Amino acid sequence: MTYTIEDTVLVDIQVDHFEYEPGKKILDNIHQKIHNITRPDVTQGQVLALLGPSGIGKSTLLELIAGLQKPTKGSIQVYDENKQALVPTKTGTAGMVYQSYDLFPFLTVRGQLELGARKGGLTGKDAEDKINFHLEHFHLREHARKYPNQLSGGQRQRLAIAQQLLCSTKLLLMDEPFSGLDPILKASICELIADVAQLHEHMTVIIVSHDIEPTLSIADTVWLIGKTPEGAATVVNTIDMMAQGLCWRKDIREDLKFQQLVLEVERKFGSLMGK
Ligand code: ADP
Ligand code: MG
């Protein structure tokens, strides 16, 4: 599969360090850029995975990208379509889908999407059209009048994604999307993530996970998160799934090369905790 990694940077992460309490670094020396990727004849966003053991600092890094936390020293910038330039990330820049799918229990499916549209500054017919598009696209139309407790787990997750895409159209962050799911549901989430990545040329889905196999199966690029000798989290390795021909394929799990990579990363995991 041919593809081009362009010069345009969609997310520029320059975190010298981040600490919750003075003197205790949680993240250290994370300097990474996410470039735009194009493929001929395909609307091509991308899936970046942050893969690392539990408790290491992955959710923290996601919160920094979302602008919910600021680096203690450093900056994070995100591509602004209107300005055609990088601007500092801030609350609302990215859509964030938490493990718990944070939905409002007292709002219907349509109500949740209307709220997302309002947050995204959409009004009138524009809001109506986009809400209808997402209801259709995420197979929620027939459930539009239901409340979250009347939906299945998969429907709730699709709703949470749709709601976030209404307020933030190009950057979607997902924290542990596979957590607590059986293999069949994990596979359907992978399909959903691939589908979201193809909504827009600049669409960037960043998933954070400690679940190696499904994460590798859906990612275009993987950053392995490990510890520095001082115990802070940093990117210890980057895996380019595209260069290895291990992405954009439904049959990936059957590929021996893929299975070997899963084993290799599993073996690496033990040493990622450092010290
Ligand atoms: P992961 O997502 O990889 O499991 P986290 O980013 O949630 O890891 O946590 C990394 C470290 O930061 C942990 O040691 C955790 O206890 C600490 N931590 C997370 N949130 C806070 C907070 N709000 N205040 C202080 N420490 C925190
Ligand atoms: Mg976490």
Side-chain angles (χ1 to χ4, degrees):
M1 184 72 73
T2 59
Y3 62 93
T4 309
I5 299 177
E6 298 197 324
D7 290 337
T8 309
V9 173
L10 300 178
V11 183
D12 187 8
I13 300 175
Q14 301 296 335
V15 177
D16 291 342
H17 64 267
F18 171 80
E19 45 196 40
Y20 286 110
E21 303 157 38
K24 190 171 179 303
K25 286 182 188 168
I26 301 287
L27 308 176
D28 194 14
N29 208 13
I30 301 183
H31 300 279
Q32 302 274 1
K33 292 180 202 286
I34 304 173
H35 287 264
N36 187 35
I37 295 164
T38 54
R39 269 197 290 163
D41 306 322
V42 182
T43 304
Q44 184 58 53
Q46 61 184 305
V47 182
L48 169 74
L50 311 181
L51 191 57
S54 293
I56 202 162
K58 303 183 300 296
S59 297
T60 301
L61 180 53
L62 213 54
E63 295 209 331
L64 262 71
I65 297 171
L68 304 172
Q69 298 277 0
K70 292 265 165 282
T72 309
K73 183 157 184 282
S75 67
I76 296 187
Q77 294 187 297
V78 174
Y79 188 73
D80 183 310
E81 301 274 332
N82 299 323
K83 297 188 176 142
Q84 302 269 305
L86 287 165
V87 299
T89 183
K90 59 179 194 322
T91 313
T93 298
M96 178 77 116
V97 179
Y98 292 95
Q99 209 174 313
S100 51
Y101 318 142
D102 287 9
L103 296 163
F104 294 99
F106 50 84
L107 282 181
T108 62
V109 167
R110 187 177 278 280
Q112 317 265 356
L113 296 180
E114 283 167 355
L115 183 69
R118 267 202 300 284
K119 276 196 189 158
L122 299 169
T123 51
K125 184 159 178 353
D126 203 15
E128 185 70 23
D129 287 350
K130 292 221 164 71
I131 288 168
N132 286 334
F133 169 81
H134 282 97
L135 281 173
E136 203 68 53
H137 189 84
F138 290 102
H139 310 292
L140 292 167
R141 175 168 296 290
E142 61 185 289
H143 308 292
R145 287 157 187 251
K146 290 186 182 167
Y147 290 88
N149 67 357
Q150 298 170 309
L151 301 173
S152 72
Q155 288 161 350
R156 277 203 292 276
Q157 189 165 35
R158 296 203 298 275
L159 175 59
I161 292 172
Q163 191 194 35
Q164 294 302 312
L165 288 175
L166 281 161
C167 24
S168 171
T169 53
K170 309 284 154 42
L171 184 57
L172 186 73
L173 312 179
M174 300 180 76
D175 199 359
E176 302 285 356
F178 307 116
S179 164
L181 301 179
D182 64 43
I184 307 248
L185 282 175
K186 283 182 192 177
S188 74
I189 300 279
C190 284
E191 279 178 32
L192 177 61
I193 293 171
D195 175 53
V196 170
Q198 287 175 21
L199 279 172
H200 188 278
E201 184 205 341
H202 285 166
M203 189 75 214
T204 306
V205 184
I206 304 181
I207 64 174
V208 147
S209 179
H210 63 271
D211 199 339
I212 299 170
E213 208 252 8
T215 300
L216 289 178
S217 81
I218 191 61
D220 306 320
T221 313
V222 181
W223 298 351
L224 282 185
I225 312 286
K227 281 200 169 176
T228 66
E230 290 75 36
T234 195
V235 177
V236 293
N237 209 342
T238 305
I239 307 172
D240 184 343
M241 303 296 285
M242 298 173 290
Q244 300 192 47
L246 294 177
C247 59
W248 306 318
R249 285 169 47 192
K250 281 200 188 308
D251 63 348
I252 193 75
R253 288 190 168 81
E254 289 149 39
D255 190 314
L256 204 59
K257 202 167 140 195
F258 175 78
Q259 293 165 4
Q260 277 164 349
L261 182 67
V262 172
L263 286 175
E264 215 177 285
V265 174
E266 277 173 0
R267 274 200 293 272
K268 252 199 179 125
F269 245 53
S271 61
L272 290 178
M273 285 308 276
K275 285 203 274 199

